[in-house]
Amino acid sequence: VLIGLGFFIYSKGDKSNQNPEEEITINEEVPVVEEQDKTKTVIGQSVEGNDIVAYHYVNDSSSTTPDTDVLFIGGIHGGYEWNSVYLAYRVIDYVKENPEFVPDDVTLTIIPNLNPDGVFAGIGAEGRFDPNNTPSVEKTVPGRFNANGVDLNRNFDCKWQPTSTWRSQEVSAGSEPFSEPETKALRDYI
């Protein structure tokens, strides 16, 4: 089972009525927790050499060996969709605090950010960040693409074309499917 935010694997809900210039304010403290155990795997690096990290969770109280894998991908568009990266980190926090959330027969893997270079370009942050310190949506547009200027959402082997259109502008989908290190890392991990 694959669950992805953004628009790569799965998108839920109609976002056509969202105002892209509306600023989002989240009034809460953001815990910064660095993983340093077996739950963390580096699956690859971005164009600029930043780690792409997957976090793995199972219900340790279960006597059952998991036979189902669920993959949750937070952000593919980086800084442009920083909120989905933030949500993925919040899910990690929730699962760590509530390990029984993960069903007995499931391994839950969360990749909070497939485009760390884009997050940095869009909001100037690496790893976890405080959502209250993010710029307006229009200022995050450069973060939609990876450091090669490729729209990673379009760099997969599903009706691939070298260019596409976003906001009435031509965007690059890379030189071929999986031409970018971020999409290669995800492909090879899956």
Side-chain angles (χ1 to χ4, degrees):
V1 176
L2 299 174
I3 301 171
L5 293 178
F7 297 102
F8 163 52
I9 297 173
Y10 179 76
S11 177
K12 185 172 182 178
D14 178 13
K15 298 178 182 172
S16 61
N17 62 354
Q18 276 184 316
N19 179 355
E21 296 185 25
E22 179 180 328
E23 288 198 37
I24 300 170
T25 301
I26 300 170
N27 296 318
E28 63 181 82
E29 292 290 320
V30 180
V32 177
V33 179
E34 290 297 321
E35 297 284 334
Q36 295 188 4
D37 57 33
K38 64 182 179 177
T39 66
K40 179 180 174 179
T41 303
V42 175
I43 66 165
Q45 279 78 36
S46 66
V47 172
E48 295 183 346
N50 292 303
D51 288 344
I52 299 168
V53 181
Y55 298 88
H56 315 279
Y57 300 95
V58 295
N59 186 336
D60 288 331
S61 65
S62 171
S63 60
T64 307
T65 301
D67 61 0
T68 302
D69 294 308
V70 176
L71 176 59
F72 171 23
I73 302 165
I76 294 176
H77 287 139
Y80 179 73
E81 292 181 352
W82 64 263
N83 55 343
S84 59
V85 175
Y86 176 73
L87 175 61
Y89 280 117
R90 295 296 297 170
V91 171
I92 288 171
D93 294 340
Y94 183 82
V95 171
K96 287 175 69 177
E97 294 169 13
N98 302 281
E100 69 281 357
F101 171 78
V102 180
D104 291 347
D105 62 338
V106 170
T107 298
L108 172 63
T109 299
I110 302 171
I111 301 173
N113 187 3
L114 191 64
N115 187 3
D117 302 345
V119 168
F120 187 79
I123 65 173
E126 295 177 343
R128 293 192 73 136
F129 54 88
D130 181 344
N132 295 310
N133 295 328
T134 56
S136 66
V137 172
E138 289 307 312
K139 292 179 182 174
T140 66
V141 168
R144 178 181 172 91
F145 309 99
N146 76 351
N148 286 337
V150 173
D151 187 336
L152 294 178
N153 192 47
R154 292 162 167 75
N155 190 239
F156 294 91
D157 194 14
C158 179
K159 299 182 182 179
W160 181 85
Q161 298 175 21
T163 60
S164 188
T165 303
W166 177 70
R167 291 189 170 183
S168 302
Q169 296 177 353
E170 187 174 281
V171 296
S172 173
S175 59
E176 62 185 9
F178 302 111
S179 63
E180 303 308 299
E182 298 90 348
T183 54
K184 283 180 188 174
L186 182 59
R187 177 200 63 197
D188 294 349
Y189 176 74
I190 293 172

